[in-house]
Amino acid sequence: MQIAVFGTRSYDREFLATANAVHGFDLQFIDAPLTTLTARLASGHQAVCVFVNDVADRAVLEALASGGVRLLALRCAGYNNVDLTAAAELGIAVVRVPAYSPHAVSEFTIGMLLSLDRKIHRAWSRVRENNFALDGLVGRNLHGRVAGVVGTGQIGALVARALRAGFGCEVLASDPIVNPELLDIGVRYVDRDVLLREADIISLHCPLTPETRHLINAQVLDAAKPGLVIVNTSRGALIDATALIDALKRRQVGGVALDVYEQEAGIFFDDLSSEIIDDDVLQRLLTFPNVLMTGHQAFLTEEALTAIAQTTLASIADFAADRPLQNRVDLGGILGS
Ligand code: NAD
């Protein structure tokens, strides 16, 4: 089986090559992202493997299908970047890695929140300059604050548990599916509007769907508690970044930790330190002292990369052997998770 692996970085190669020892697939690592232009590189391959910012829209899928590709394997959980209707029409099966290490993302989420709230990132750069002054570094306790967790699936449930049982926050949750284990520790499920209005801290863990796109928008930010802290390690487009900048300028929002950004494709995962970046929204966000940003890093642990590589190649092996595809994403699934 020949597999074209798009958008590969050193860590992808390392962990996929290790997991491939038991399969012996012919992996062709391609640095470039999957686009209509690069899709032809997959010609002659039966499967392609892609990540979060590779776009598999209809045009790309048509190019892949005409080159003989029959399987699209996402080495991530989210699949908002794939036109599932087009894939189904073109006879391309789509698989993903539904859960590789929710701990990796949930721990990073808490890390970002603590760093932002206690200004650890700012203290670190000060101390490196021998500036040991504490002025401007006053933070706030997590204990006793109201944290709203939107989406209590695998990752959100761990975050809600850490905030409630670990830090003693009052935790409000919003999810169409109630997790009874969270109820047992005192997490309260409320309407999303109530959560967005009453929370001191909002952490986003729902998938990106047409319904959740710009869930954090100008209206929500206006109605939110002044000083609101927002953490987003889910998908960038859950937040309207322009409205967020406006709310930051008005001091309505007290702090933001972002591991994802709506227009991150073509920017994140690359070293652009010598480039001029045209995205004024991203550049403005990076100027705020109370915005902490990382480049879609929450998943990046050894455990998660191992699990991603193993699950991806196991799905491809199932496809090659014509076995049922456990991790298949179909049109029914797009609304379900
Ligand atoms: P999951 O499917 O286990 O959980 C998602 C939860 O969101 C489900 O319980 C679902 O019922 C709920 N949900 C769906 N629509 C909702 C809505 N409108 N309002 C509130 N809740 C809603 O997914 P997960 O593994 O916990 O992942 C959550 C998200 O984190 C993924 O969608 C993915 O985009 C993102 N993610 C980011 C990284 C990263 O590196 N930053 C890594 C993995 C996953």
Side-chain angles (χ1 to χ4, degrees), residues 100-254:
Y100 38 90
S101 176
H103 295 283
V105 184
S106 63
E107 289 170 15
F108 194 85
T109 303
I110 299 292
M112 284 195 102
L113 174 59
L114 286 172
S115 190
L116 174 74
D117 240 14
R118 301 302 304 272
K119 305 179 170 47
I120 297 170
H121 57 303
R122 302 192 62 205
W124 166 239
S125 45
R126 276 192 196 189
V127 166
R128 283 167 61 88
E129 301 280 331
N130 290 332
N131 176 357
F132 300 99
L134 299 181
D135 310 71
L137 297 183
V138 178
R140 293 194 57 184
N141 289 0
L142 279 180
H143 183 86
R145 278 156 87 197
V146 181
V149 178
V150 183
T152 53
Q154 317 227 33
I155 296 167
L158 290 169
V159 169
R161 180 173 288 280
L163 291 171
R164 175 75 195 138
F167 292 102
C169 293
E170 186 186 329
V171 177
L172 306 178
S174 151
D175 194 310
I177 302 163
V178 171
N179 178 336
E181 288 176 12
L182 294 180
L183 292 178
D184 289 347
I185 58 167
V187 171
R188 280 198 299 130
Y189 280 86
V190 295
D191 279 350
R192 191 165 81 196
D193 290 351
V194 174
L195 181 154
L196 297 173
R197 240 185 4 249
E198 295 189 358
D200 300 308
I201 299 159
I202 293 174
S203 195
L204 300 174
H205 302 287
C206 59
L208 175 62
T209 64
E211 196 263 322
T212 60
R213 187 171 179 275
H214 289 185
L215 182 157
I216 303 290
N217 53 40
Q219 227 181 340
V220 164
L221 291 167
D222 278 348
K225 273 194 187 167
L228 172 71
V229 170
I230 302 170
V231 186
N232 187 9
T233 58
S234 184
R235 283 291 180 268
L238 295 176
I239 298 180
D240 177 344
T242 307
L244 181 64
I245 288 172
D246 183 54
L248 279 159
K249 283 163 77 177
R250 290 186 287 114
R251 281 74 170 166
Q252 166 70 358
V253 166

